[in-house]
Amino acid sequence: MNMKKLFNAALAAATFVVPAALVSAQASAEGFHAELHTGWDHVSYSGIGDDGIAYGIGLGYDLPLGDTAFVGIEGSADDANTKKCVPGLCVSTKRDLSAVARVGAKVGGNYKVYALAGYANARLSATGLGSANGDGFRAG
């Protein structure tokens, strides 16, 4: 497989990756929430991959549906330090933007459990090939 095909395949795979071990710190006031994200980032294709640290922010608004349920929207901007080099090519992850809808329930005093789904756009950069964006689906 030539390097350009490898780069395009890695970009396609990266847009469908859901970050694992994501940790968020959330502040909530009257439906508005702001989050700081950090976690593990892993990108791989055909056995070639690497791990890194993901980090970013999320902003959104939740609307209550009764006493415990809610729906909301959220936008996030994340980045990672993941980079993999093979002879003649280095590929690194760049920014990852998303817009999602949330649905969930309040549990306890200050906690929420929710599911989310929406649109994501990720960017990868490769030496000699430049950078490219890929659209995908975000679920969590």
Side-chain angles (χ1 to χ4, degrees):
M1 176 178 282
N2 71 34
M3 290 301 158
K4 190 168 187 172
K5 284 184 182 178
L6 175 65
F7 175 66
N8 289 334
L11 176 62
T15 61
F16 291 97
V17 170
V18 177
L22 187 64
V23 176
S24 351
Q26 181 171 331
S28 198
E30 296 300 319
F32 174 76
H33 66 270
E35 301 174 351
L36 298 175
H37 303 154
T38 188
W40 169 62
D41 185 51
H42 179 78
V43 177
S44 68
Y45 178 75
S46 293
I48 301 170
D50 204 6
D51 298 313
I53 302 295
Y55 49 90
I57 61 168
L59 300 173
Y61 192 85
D62 292 333
L63 298 169
L65 298 175
D67 290 335
T68 59
F70 69 91
V71 295
I73 58 171
E74 179 178 298
S76 67
D78 297 287
D79 202 351
N81 67 354
T82 311
K83 184 176 183 177
K84 179 65 178 181
C85 294
V86 295
L89 178 70
C90 283
V91 177
S92 59
T93 57
K94 298 296 181 189
R95 61 112 180 107
D96 182 350
L97 306 174
S98 71
V100 300
R102 298 168 20 130
V103 61
K106 299 174 192 173
V107 291
N110 295 318
Y111 299 98
K112 294 180 178 180
V113 174
Y114 60 91
L116 61 83
Y119 168 79
N121 181 277
R123 180 174 291 167
L124 289 177
S125 179
T127 54
L129 297 175
S131 61
N133 293 336
D135 297 321
F137 184 78
R138 173 75 37 94

